[in-house]
Amino acid sequence: MATEHWVLAVASVLLAAAFGYFYGATFFWRRLAAVATKEGRFEEAERAYRRALAISPRDARLWFWRGLTERRLGRFDDALESLRRAGEIDPNAEEAFAERADLFHERGELDEALRELSWIIESQPAPFNARLTRSSILIETGRFADAVEDCDWLIANGDENACAGAFNNRGVAKLALGRDDEAAVDFETAYLIDPSFLIAQAHCAGTWLRRGAPEKTLRLCDAVLNADAANGVAFRYRGLAKRALGDEAGATEDLRRAEELGA
């Protein structure tokens, strides 16, 4: 009987030691990685996450953080794989799919970005950010009617912040579809919901230009650029308004700035 108790005691000690090593070592490497990340030592952070994952390979959070670190190092393929592993281990890890979508978007792989966002939208109960981002990418790919549908859903179901973006994106999509009057209403509504939503004001200026009122476009773009001197959309519409008013030199400069800013 004494021998049996001794064996159980030894087994308990060994088991406790194993658990202590498992959690303690994982915590050590994870903490080391967090400190290295905070200090900008991303190579060291990635190595620490690798060591932690060697001990705890089924930890979705570790894979996610490793993916973020690899992205900061410019190792995009590795980052996509780490984020894929995070999503595979935890199918409810919305942030892993969102990060993959953002990475694909950054690389110009828009169909892949849309696929990741669609997964979030179909599986999560309140995918506001995913729908808003998808509407933006749908606009980039020329799928304006689909973008309007996403924005309609957000306006019907989203909170105030999501609605401001949805009204703006719906305005952009409707503008592309030739529904100028409806677009103007959407831009104005986005601005009323969030006065700091300067991109909405810039697009609203564009609707005035298309309505044949370049003076109003010019005034609104001036107001936008006073608040945001790097607003490429405002530069573009102001340049077109100046051209319509006969100021070719001013138009050329504004359109050059718009191109530099990617608008």
Side-chain angles (χ1 to χ4, degrees):
M1 195 70 172
T3 302
E4 183 177 326
H5 283 299
W6 181 82
V7 170
L8 285 173
V10 171
S12 297
V13 169
L14 291 174
L15 187 61
F19 272 109
Y21 170 77
F22 179 83
Y23 288 109
T26 302
F27 175 82
F28 170 79
W29 291 114
R30 184 175 61 206
R31 180 62 182 161
L32 185 64
V35 171
T37 298
K38 186 176 181 180
E39 296 176 355
R41 294 179 283 113
F42 300 121
E43 289 281 3
E44 184 178 334
E46 192 279 329
R47 287 195 297 271
Y49 282 129
R50 201 185 319 153
R51 295 291 295 270
L53 282 163
I55 302 165
S56 182
R58 297 292 299 170
D59 190 325
R61 296 296 298 169
L62 288 174
W63 282 111
F64 176 72
W65 291 327
R66 179 177 173 180
L68 296 185
T69 304
E70 288 166 334
R71 182 175 183 178
R72 289 182 177 181
L73 290 167
R75 291 162 46 185
F76 296 139
D77 289 337
D78 290 338
L80 285 169
E81 175 59 19
S82 291
L83 293 167
R84 184 194 67 77
R85 292 288 297 273
E88 186 179 71
I89 294 166
D90 181 6
N92 293 315
E94 178 181 339
E95 59 190 356
F97 291 89
E99 189 71 21
R100 276 174 58 86
D102 191 53
L103 245 175
F104 280 127
H105 186 209
E106 183 179 329
R107 288 170 29 142
E109 299 174 28
L110 301 185
D111 287 339
E112 288 78 2
L114 288 171
R115 185 184 65 242
E116 300 294 324
L117 291 167
S118 293
W119 180 91
I120 297 172
I121 289 165
E122 291 163 9
S123 64
Q124 303 300 313
F128 301 134
N129 289 334
R131 275 197 186 265
L132 187 59
T133 302
R134 188 171 75 171
S135 71
S136 297
I137 297 177
L138 288 169
I139 289 169
E140 285 186 59
T141 57
R143 295 161 59 181
F144 304 115
D146 292 335
V148 168
E149 286 187 14
D150 266 348
C151 293
D152 286 344
W153 186 92
L154 281 166
I155 290 165
N157 298 284
D159 58 18
E160 187 173 282
N161 291 331
C163 282
F167 274 112
N168 180 73
N169 283 8
R170 192 171 73 173
V172 174
K174 287 181 175 178
L175 200 61
L177 291 168
R179 296 157 60 180
D180 292 12
D181 290 343
E182 294 177 43
V185 172
D186 279 348
F187 291 138
E188 289 164 6
T189 304
Y191 175 62
L192 287 171
I193 294 172
D194 184 357
S196 67
F197 214 74
L198 296 175
I199 192 69
Q201 295 178 59
H203 284 299
C204 189
T207 66
W208 283 116
L209 182 63
R210 293 178 64 147
R211 287 170 158 179
E215 298 89 352
K216 288 186 177 182
T217 300
L218 197 62
R219 286 198 297 272
L220 188 48
C221 287
D222 283 342
V224 171
L225 289 167
N226 282 336
D228 177 12
N231 192 305
V233 174
F235 271 116
R236 176 160 58 87
Y237 284 128
R238 191 174 74 170
L240 294 173
K242 286 179 178 179
R243 178 165 289 166
L245 293 168
D247 180 5
E248 190 58 38
T252 299
E253 176 60 21
D254 277 354
L255 293 173
R256 182 189 65 78
R257 287 285 291 126
E259 186 175 352
E260 286 178 353
L261 292 166

